[in-house]
Amino acid sequence: MQYTPPPPQRSGNGLVVGLVIGFVALLLVGGAVTAFVVALRSDADPITVTFPTPDPTTAPQETASPEESASPEESASPQESESPSPEPEDTTEQQGSGKRLTVKEFGGDWKFRLGSTSFQASSVGEWEHDTCDALDGKGRPLSKHSCDHGVEVTYSAYSGGIRAALVVLAFPSEAQAKSAEKLISRDASGAVKWRMDKLHRNWAYGKVQWGSTGRFVIATAVTADSANKAKAAKFQQHLQADFKNVFLFW
């Protein structure tokens, strides 16, 4: 009997390569939306809290903005013109993850739009903190993990029906930020000293949300009256995610 070998099998490499290329293209097109969705879902679920009673004696200290506190450098006199010109200033620290938080960059009104969803809130207070001492609450979770500095902004929306406090904290490393986030999650309302005078004293909705991106921790406290209770959760979810997304590119 004559043996007839089976026909050669068709290689699937071309199909695999085509699928991979198509998948990569899809990822590139949807990258921005995916980044937002990840940030939107990655935080801990907001928890209902009982905020501590405001204590005027321990309120965080306001610090002047860099434009107000920085002293102008003295210009060289004509007699000193023969000395070598100074080297260009090293701006490495101002770029990437070493960039310092300022109210100039993170302050101002909040305006958000994604598809048919939009929110707008007016800034009612902005503070820069050279250290995290004024923001460190119960258990000192910030100092325990070497929190370096922070920015605080408070908002009002829907004619004061929704009020929010945003705190952004900078740590030396991503590992320290994540460890601090875990401590904050154990007592979200007490671990950070919120600007209680900017929130409702009596609220129908009162929750805290927190999360970390890189070496930064972002935390929001939101309160709302009964007329705006239904809008508050979505407002807070997008406020938190919007600021977390900023640090995806730092």
Side-chain angles (χ1 to χ4, degrees), residues 86-95:
E87 294 294 330
E89 182 180 357
D90 183 7
T91 59
T92 303
E93 185 178 352
Q94 300 175 357
Q95 301 174 356

Side-chain angles (χ1 to χ4, degrees), residues 42-107:
S42 61
D43 285 339
D45 292 334
I47 62 169
T48 303
V49 297
T50 302
F51 294 112
T53 302
D55 184 355
T57 62
T58 59
Q61 298 293 320
E62 298 184 21
T63 58
S65 63
E67 290 81 358
E68 297 173 346
S69 60
S71 299
E73 296 182 359
E74 296 182 0
S75 301
S77 63
Q79 291 79 5
E80 299 171 338
S81 60
E82 296 180 0
S83 61
S85 300
E87 294 294 330
E89 182 180 357
D90 183 7
T91 59
T92 303
E93 185 178 352
Q94 300 175 357
Q95 301 174 356
S97 62
K99 194 171 183 179
R100 190 171 182 85
L101 303 170
T102 66
V103 294
K104 182 178 180 180
E105 189 160 7
F106 291 93

Side-chain angles (χ1 to χ4, degrees), residues 31-248:
V33 175
T34 302
F36 178 81
V37 172
V38 169
L40 196 62
R41 295 179 178 177
S42 61
D43 285 339
D45 292 334
I47 62 169
T48 303
V49 297
T50 302
F51 294 112
T53 302
D55 184 355
T57 62
T58 59
Q61 298 293 320
E62 298 184 21
T63 58
S65 63
E67 290 81 358
E68 297 173 346
S69 60
S71 299
E73 296 182 359
E74 296 182 0
S75 301
S77 63
Q79 291 79 5
E80 299 171 338
S81 60
E82 296 180 0
S83 61
S85 300
E87 294 294 330
E89 182 180 357
D90 183 7
T91 59
T92 303
E93 185 178 352
Q94 300 175 357
Q95 301 174 356
S97 62
K99 194 171 183 179
R100 190 171 182 85
L101 303 170
T102 66
V103 294
K104 182 178 180 180
E105 189 160 7
F106 291 93
D109 298 344
W110 178 58
K111 297 179 181 180
F112 174 85
R113 179 177 295 276
L114 180 66
S116 60
T117 301
S118 64
F119 292 104
Q120 183 170 339
S122 300
S123 170
V124 294
E126 301 169 0
W127 302 267
E128 290 180 13
H129 299 277
D130 292 333
T131 71
C132 296
D133 292 344
L135 298 168
D136 214 358
K138 188 189 303 183
R140 307 289 292 174
L142 308 185
S143 61
K144 285 181 178 178
H145 294 286
S146 304
C147 182
D148 185 69
H149 66 281
V151 167
E152 193 177 2
V153 184
T154 53
Y155 300 98
S156 175
Y158 300 102
S159 301
I162 293 180
R163 299 177 187 176
L166 167 77
V167 176
V168 184
L169 305 164
F171 292 82
S173 68
E174 181 175 349
Q176 288 166 303
K178 288 185 177 297
S179 296
E181 178 193 355
K182 291 180 181 179
L183 286 181
I184 293 173
S185 68
R186 297 175 185 175
D187 183 10
S189 60
V192 177
K193 291 182 179 178
W194 307 96
R195 292 269 176 174
M196 291 302 302
D197 58 321
K198 304 299 183 182
L199 302 176
H200 294 92
R201 290 187 175 273
N202 298 299
W203 57 81
Y205 175 99
K207 295 186 178 182
V208 169
Q209 193 169 4
W210 65 92
S212 64
T213 301
R215 66 184 187 92
F216 300 95
V217 171
I218 300 91
T220 55
V222 173
T223 60
D225 57 23
S226 56
N228 293 278
K229 179 180 179 181
K231 307 172 186 174
K234 194 172 183 180
F235 174 94
Q236 182 172 20
Q237 185 182 32
H238 285 84
L239 176 66
Q240 176 79 15
D242 194 28
F243 276 89
K244 275 198 66 179
N245 278 335
V246 171
F247 297 102
L248 294 175

Side-chain angles (χ1 to χ4, degrees), residues 5-19:
Q9 295 183 353
R10 296 179 59 186
S11 172
N13 291 341
L15 176 60
V16 172
V17 172
L19 290 175

